[in-house]
Amino acid sequence: HPVTNSYEVISLFNGGSKPFDKAQWAAQKQEQRKEAYELIDSTCAEMMTNGDSFRQYLDVQSRFDRYSVANAILVSAQKPDAVQLKDYSTWKQNRIYVNKDAHKIVILEPGKEYTREDGSKAVGYNAKVVYDISETSAAGKVQAPERKNMRELVSALIDASPVPFVPVGDLEMPAYYDSKQQTIFIKTGLSEEQLFVSMAKEVSAAVFDFKHNESRDASDFKSFCVAYMVSERYGVDTRGFSFDRLPGEFSEMDTQVFKGELNSMRDVLGEIQSDMFKSLEKSRPPKNKEQER
């Protein structure tokens, strides 16, 4: 029986029938890492042509916005409904116990830096087994994220924008980022949800243009994806987003190039999320003494 996590290692040291075999453990980790890379590539191939798989990845990346693209892909392939992931020992430190038959999720974590043959530096990655909170003794205690009202969210999105907003009465579309004027024009009279979703796409386009030197047209689909992830993250209705028709060039794309596109989307998502978070924290009412007790 191969050793796969600290729970099994501990059980072996506590009078288990087999001694801990370091070589076998290392081989197991190497195999897990190889399988993880293969799973990333096969999932990418599916995401390039399948809108449902692509949306599934976006859902995971929106919840785990600090995860690398590779790890968000791995989670979406293994447990797309995951909400909180930790390894066995971290759950245990929190006095939460992993179920015996828990579903293992393999992700990759940075290991030691090494020098390639050409002299350049690189970081190796190791396989790491994590478990979702739904597979632990805390399964029924998942705290729903605090809901923000639409006014707070729109205000936070304004703070996250690198360019100003100008309301316009006769705009043909809900919102439009004009790169020449470095301004986002907003149609007046929109509902708050329409306002948020259309603003999210144009703020994404502005960040791509302003900070990543990528034109509005070139980043159009990626801005759409970032707007979806931001909306999904804050519980805004995303039924208006469709991924039935993915860009035609995806199916012809090299996997590394495709992952590069996902990486730039994740970077822009991270920038917007970070600025929105700061804005939302600023607007929180201060705790009074009663609440602090």
Side-chain angles (χ1 to χ4, degrees), residues 1 3 36 252:
H1 178 66
V3 176
E252 308 294 322

Side-chain angles (χ1 to χ4, degrees), residues 116-291:
R116 293 194 185 101
E117 284 181 15
D118 64 3
S120 61
K121 300 281 185 189
V123 175
Y125 285 83
N126 303 315
K128 178 180 182 178
V129 174
V130 292
Y131 303 88
D132 186 47
I133 193 168
S134 62
E135 307 270 349
T136 71
S137 57
K141 300 169 189 166
V142 181
Q143 275 192 323
E146 183 190 348
R147 296 295 287 226
K148 305 288 181 187
N149 67 48
M150 287 307 302
R151 187 155 291 192
E152 286 177 301
L153 292 176
V154 168
S155 176
L157 204 45
I158 289 169
D159 285 349
S161 176
V163 298
F165 290 85
V166 173
V168 179
D170 58 351
L171 202 63
E172 287 181 9
M173 53 190 71
Y176 181 76
Y177 166 60
D178 186 319
S179 57
K180 284 182 184 168
Q181 298 184 62
Q182 293 187 338
T183 300
I184 295 172
F185 295 100
I186 293 283
K187 187 174 186 175
T188 53
L190 298 175
S191 72
E192 285 181 331
E193 290 221 343
Q194 279 179 313
L195 185 62
F196 181 86
V197 169
S198 51
M199 277 172 61
K201 182 172 184 287
E202 300 311 305
V203 168
S204 303
V207 174
F208 273 115
D209 180 45
F210 216 68
K211 297 187 179 179
H212 298 263
N213 212 16
E214 205 167 323
S215 77
R216 192 189 183 289
D217 289 344
S219 70
D220 192 60
F221 180 71
K222 290 194 287 186
S223 298
F224 179 80
C225 294
V226 174
Y228 173 81
M229 289 190 279
V230 172
S231 302
E232 187 70 17
R233 172 66 179 252
Y234 289 108
V236 177
D237 188 351
T238 54
R239 283 175 298 182
F241 288 84
S242 171
F243 294 93
D244 292 344
R245 293 181 62 192
L246 297 176
E249 62 268 24
F250 273 14
S251 58
E252 308 294 322
M253 218 173 251
D254 176 79
T255 305
Q256 287 304 112
V257 175
F258 179 68
K259 283 193 284 191
E261 295 289 270
L262 300 180
N263 261 312
S264 71
M265 281 162 35
R266 179 194 170 274
D267 289 347
V268 171
L269 171 70
E271 288 171 50
I272 293 172
Q273 294 277 46
S274 171
D275 288 344
M276 284 187 70
F277 178 77
K278 286 178 203 158
S279 176
L280 291 165
E281 284 298 295
K282 263 192 320 194
S283 66
R284 280 166 78 96
K287 285 185 177 179
N288 60 36
K289 296 247 164 97
E290 285 297 313
Q291 286 174 308

Side-chain angles (χ1 to χ4, degrees), residues 57 60-76 78-79 82-87 91 105-109 128-132 229 233 262-263 265-267 269-270:
Y57 156 76
V60 171
Q61 189 78 81
S62 74
R63 286 196 300 277
F64 296 91
D65 57 326
R66 293 188 178 182
Y67 268 35
S68 67
V69 164
N71 281 336
I73 291 170
L74 285 170
V75 174
S76 77
Q78 295 172 86
K79 190 167 178 57
V83 291
Q84 195 178 345
L85 297 168
K86 292 180 175 31
D87 62 14
W91 281 126
I105 300 158
V106 176
I107 61 172
L108 297 167
E109 66 173 355
K128 178 180 182 178
V129 174
V130 292
Y131 303 88
D132 186 47
M229 289 190 279
R233 172 66 179 252
L262 300 180
N263 261 312
M265 281 162 35
R266 179 194 170 274
D267 289 347
L269 171 70

